[in-house]
Amino acid sequence: MSKPIVAIVGRPNVGKSTFFNKIVGKRISIVEDTPGVTRDRIYAEAEWRGIHFGLIDTGGIEARTDDIILSQMREQAQTAMDMADVILFLVDGKDGLTHADHEVANMLMRTGKNVILVVNKVDNPKNPPMDLYDFYELGLGEPIPISAANMLNFGDVLDEIVDAFPKDGDFEEDDSTKIAVIGKPNVGKSSLVNSLLGEKRVIVSNIAGTTRDSIDTPFEQNGKKYTLIDTAGIRRKSKINESVEHYSVLRAVAAIERCDVCLLMLDASEGLSDQDKRIAGIAHEAGKGLILVVNKWDLIQKETNTMRDFTRELQADLQFMSYAPILFISVKDNQRVNQVIDTVDRVSENRALRIPTGQLNSLLQDAMMMKQPPSDKGRRLKIYYVSQVAVNPPLFSFQINDRELMHFSYSRYIENQIRKTYGFEGTSIKFVFRAKGEKDEL
């Protein structure tokens, strides 16, 4: 079941990024007192009352403008609103009601979505100023006064958001394996999708950025259900000039969030770029299954160890995800494309693999005998117990004597021992460490 999506919209400089950052608990969006700073939507997961949802921060909307950047932000915000289940319309309580607010409100009412009106920069929401009631003119119901900077009245807003979500029964259950095809523009993503589907469903051309939006295509193979998510190419921000490519970035990131397995496509003739590493990092941090698909292998002049050497270079550059299998294909010549779905199946099984607690602790004892835990200032790390507490991705909880004694190198050593025994090819595995008396931080 997909998580509901909330888009935060409004004209520039009303406090959208501040609100977003406070909700997700991190300073993700740049916050400056200058209109137009947030030029790309940011997507993150948030939670309230045990309900998880996606939160989109948008650039400010200027309903009528000749400014190129502002018009691009308007396009981005429109796409965010199209994706959202609930729209949070933020206005400025200090500026009061403006003509631009009326125009944005008119845009929102045309969406037919649930819209929550929030008045920011109200220092005392319990005793709001009289002009707060001017915002009733927007026709969007009762305005909720808040102070994003001080997190005042946030609970009321989050309650309204969660109550406005579609109920569980309104979501369509989908048990298919979701595969996101990600990567830079022009590496062959749409061509791979067409090849896997056996028909031309996605437009293919040499022009980077042809695929403007994510396209979901369900299909079946060998009695198993899959959904292919073809995304627009992710570019470095300095290379993005068209508004359509601005908002395609969010589509790609959102596709990663809602998929099971990512196919990160690379161009064999170009090798690995810094942007490829960033894209891989997004998928790795999200805990998704990950397969490196090196396309256009037909263009590479081969020698005896060409594939081996290319593999070693990739693994050296992507040490944080050395678990990812690497496929060398040519979509154009249909070389090894038939291995893609088989590898997806294998990775999906590994993400769902659960190891019995007894086997885990036996492995842990053997690992500690082979390599003693580290010590610091006379105190040695002690690991009492380990259990697997989740799958998709696999998550392991360790009970130890002191978290400060758990060095990264020893954690990596334990991970390597687990992988040596159980594989977990294609999936990250995550650890949580807690001292006696602490609760799991899951």
Side-chain angles (χ1 to χ4, degrees):
M1 186 174 70
S2 299
K3 291 189 293 287
I5 300 292
V6 179
I8 308 170
V9 302
R11 56 188 179 80
N13 205 31
V14 295
K16 295 183 301 297
S17 296
T18 301
F19 180 86
F20 176 87
N21 294 332
K22 297 286 187 179
I23 294 295
V24 300
K26 301 174 184 175
R27 195 176 187 277
I28 297 176
S29 296
I30 299 170
V31 181
E32 288 183 20
D33 192 23
T34 304
V37 168
T38 307
R39 295 183 181 175
D40 295 300
R41 285 183 317 273
I42 306 295
Y43 179 93
E45 185 175 323
E47 179 269 334
W48 184 249
R49 289 177 9 201
I51 298 174
H52 292 261
F53 56 93
L55 191 65
I56 302 173
D57 184 23
T58 69
I61 300 173
E62 288 283 2
R64 295 178 183 173
T65 178
D66 294 328
D67 183 281
I68 295 175
I69 297 255
L70 291 177
S71 63
Q72 288 176 355
M73 289 193 296
R74 184 180 185 279
E75 293 286 347
Q76 294 177 68
Q78 183 63 59
T79 300
M81 290 187 290
D82 291 342
M83 295 174 64
D85 297 288
V86 175
I87 300 169
L88 203 69
F89 179 25
L90 214 64
V91 295
D92 191 323
K94 289 187 175 178
D95 287 351
L97 185 62
T98 69
H99 179 68
D101 291 329
H102 276 285
E103 296 203 354
V104 174
N106 290 334
M107 285 179 58
L108 297 179
M109 283 190 283
R110 287 196 296 270
T111 67
K113 302 290 182 71
N114 285 317
V115 179
I116 298 171
L117 177 61
V118 179
V119 183
N120 190 27
K121 304 181 186 178
V122 178
D123 295 332
N124 184 4
K126 300 301 180 185
N127 186 25
M130 289 300 297
D131 57 4
L132 172 73
Y133 300 100
D134 293 343
F135 291 99
Y136 276 101
E137 293 181 22
L138 297 175
L140 296 172
E142 183 175 358
I144 304 175
I146 69 162
S147 170
N150 300 312
M151 296 187 69
L152 297 177
N153 239 19
F154 269 34
D156 289 350
V157 176
L158 289 166
D159 283 341
E160 288 281 339
I161 289 172
V162 170
D163 290 342
F165 287 152
K167 304 299 182 264
D168 289 346
D170 296 334
F171 287 103
E172 185 177 345
E173 291 292 337
D174 182 0
D175 59 354
S176 66
T177 300
K178 295 166 191 64
I179 308 165
V181 187
I182 59 175
K184 296 182 302 184
N186 207 27
V187 293
K189 296 187 300 301
S190 296
S191 297
L192 176 62
V193 168
N194 290 336
S195 180
L196 293 174
L197 295 173
E199 57 183 297
K200 273 199 170 186
R201 292 213 188 174
V202 182
I203 297 171
V204 179
S205 82
N206 297 337
I207 304 171
T210 298
T211 308
R212 300 307 192 186
D213 300 321
S214 298
I215 301 170
D216 291 11
T217 308
F219 72 102
E220 291 190 21
Q221 183 170 309
N222 298 325
K224 297 180 181 179
K225 296 179 180 179
Y226 305 89
T227 300
L228 273 173
I229 307 169
D230 180 28
T231 64
I234 306 174
R235 289 186 173 188
R236 289 186 300 272
K237 291 181 182 178
S238 61
K239 297 284 186 174
I240 300 176
N241 295 315
E242 298 181 49
S243 61
V244 288
E245 295 199 14
H246 272 281
Y247 61 71
S248 71
V249 172
L250 181 101
R251 295 274 187 183
V253 174
I256 291 171
E257 288 288 340
R258 62 192 176 90
C259 80
D260 301 303
V261 178
C262 295
L263 303 180
L264 173 55
M265 292 196 70
L266 309 174
D267 186 327
S269 61
E270 295 182 0
L272 187 73
S273 69
D274 288 341
Q275 182 68 353
D276 291 323
K277 295 178 187 177
R278 282 190 285 272
I279 297 169
I282 293 170
H284 171 76
E285 289 299 321
K288 304 300 181 178
L290 192 55
I291 301 169
L292 298 178
V293 181
V294 183
N295 190 28
K296 306 183 185 180
W297 193 241
D298 56 298
L299 301 180
I300 301 300
Q301 187 172 353
K302 315 296 192 301
E303 296 179 3
T304 304
N305 297 315
T306 303
M307 189 177 291
R308 184 201 66 183
D309 293 343
F310 201 104
T311 298
R312 287 179 176 176
E313 288 180 17
L314 279 179
Q315 291 176 335
D317 288 335
L318 297 171
Q319 293 184 27
F320 65 91
M321 46 164 285
S322 57
Y323 57 81
I326 303 172
L327 298 178
F328 294 87
I329 72 170
S330 168
V331 177
K332 175 174 163 287
D333 294 340
N334 201 31
Q335 292 178 3
R336 290 181 287 275
V337 175
N338 61 340
Q339 296 179 14
V340 172
I341 296 300
D342 289 341
T343 308
V344 167
D345 287 341
R346 196 163 68 246
V347 169
S348 294
E349 290 171 3
N350 287 333
R351 291 188 77 234
L353 182 62
R354 190 179 290 273
I355 310 302
T357 300
Q359 293 182 23
L360 272 177
N361 283 278
S362 178
L363 180 152
L364 177 63
Q365 294 303 317
D366 291 344
M368 289 192 295
M369 287 181 62
M370 289 188 291
K371 183 175 181 180
Q372 197 173 37
S375 62
D376 183 36
K377 298 178 182 177
R379 296 191 68 229
R380 186 169 297 280
L381 170 68
K382 294 180 181 179
I383 307 177
Y384 304 113
Y385 185 79
V386 59
S387 62
Q388 185 175 352
V389 295
V391 294
N392 297 319
L395 175 63
F396 299 90
S397 175
F398 293 79
Q399 188 178 78
I400 63 179
N401 59 333
D402 187 341
R403 283 194 290 178
E404 292 185 1
L405 295 174
M406 176 55 78
H407 297 172
F408 171 78
S409 59
Y410 201 72
S411 171
R412 176 56 61 88
Y413 164 70
I414 295 174
E415 178 180 341
N416 289 339
Q417 294 305 305
I418 291 175
R419 288 190 182 279
K420 185 177 179 181
T421 304
Y422 297 107
F424 287 111
E425 179 192 30
T427 181
S428 61
I429 60 178
K430 298 185 181 296
F431 292 166
V432 59
F433 300 100
R434 61 185 179 90
K436 281 187 174 181
E438 292 181 338
K439 293 182 180 181
D440 282 315
E441 296 183 353
L442 304 183

